Amino acid sequence: MSLLPALSLLVLLTGAGEPAWQQVARDDGISVLARTPEGGAVSEVKATTLVDAPAHDVWRVIRDYTNYTKTMPYTEESRVLASEQDGKVILFYCLVNAPLVDKRDFIIRIRDESDWKEGKGFLKTAWTAATEGAPPEREGIVRVKLNTGYWLLEPREEGKKTFVTYYLYTDPGGSLPKWIADKANKTSVPDVLRAVRKYATAAKK
């Protein structure tokens, strides 16, 4: 039997011309994949894990933007700047104070892209960097200009658990060397996923 049909299908599934995802870490039930886009200086990062909580408990943590200072690592400020389409679109500001680097802030426009009905389907929120409606840059704080990502929540085990995917493509900017920025991204993504898992399972209890 010819291998050509199978190879053609593989090309369609992986995306013609796109670099392949490579596993860069697997620990604490979290798998981390990365790939560098053509001509890119930093990697796209994607982490997955199975959370022992229903999708709506995970969703509640992800969407609780004003409490990110309590739930998300290194978050110093977090606030919703605007809400449109009955909360389906959110303009969000966040200031991050991570160790050993200057503070950084970003503004993102978040869209609810869920397809969910009666406990089936998926919950998804996706974002891109925003400039319209953004507050002015502040002295001593680096404004992150590239920030794209999503959360995807898929029910497992009759809705008792949730398979979570967190994708992020961002460049911290400033004078941070690209290789350090790349390493920081690959570390921060699983840290955020651990935080979400922690608070989602606590809500279950």
Side-chain angles (χ1 to χ4, degrees), residues 42-178:
V42 294
S43 297
E44 300 170 88
V45 184
K46 180 168 62 175
T48 60
T49 194
L50 185 66
V51 176
D52 187 17
H56 272 293
D57 285 345
V58 183
W59 185 249
R60 192 175 299 113
V61 175
I62 291 169
R63 300 280 288 180
D64 190 9
Y65 301 116
T66 57
N67 279 318
Y68 270 22
T69 53
K70 300 175 183 177
T71 60
M72 296 298 180
Y74 311 124
T75 301
E76 189 170 293
E77 293 182 27
S78 62
R79 60 182 186 270
V80 173
L81 301 177
S83 178
E84 306 167 8
Q85 301 178 22
D86 294 327
K88 290 287 187 179
V89 180
I90 298 290
L91 188 65
F92 176 63
Y93 172 86
C94 188
L95 171 63
V96 177
N97 187 8
L100 306 178
V101 296
D102 293 333
K103 293 182 180 182
R104 280 163 168 74
D105 67 359
F106 59 85
I107 301 91
I108 52 177
R109 190 173 301 278
I110 308 168
R111 295 183 178 277
D112 183 348
E113 299 181 351
S114 304
D115 184 358
W116 186 264
K117 186 176 182 181
E118 298 178 355
K120 296 182 179 180
F122 61 85
L123 295 169
K124 183 180 181 182
T125 182
W127 64 87
T128 56
T131 54
E132 184 179 349
E137 297 185 28
R138 296 152 64 179
E139 186 176 354
I141 298 175
V142 178
R143 175 64 51 86
V144 176
K145 304 294 177 63
L146 173 62
N147 190 336
T148 302
Y150 66 79
W151 287 99
L152 175 63
L153 315 181
E154 300 170 283
R156 294 289 189 270
E157 298 185 19
E158 298 181 345
K160 297 176 183 177
K161 297 184 180 182
T162 308
F163 187 75
V164 180
T165 302
Y166 175 43
Y167 164 86
L168 183 67
Y169 181 46
T170 186
D171 186 340
S175 58
L176 200 64
K178 298 301 182 184

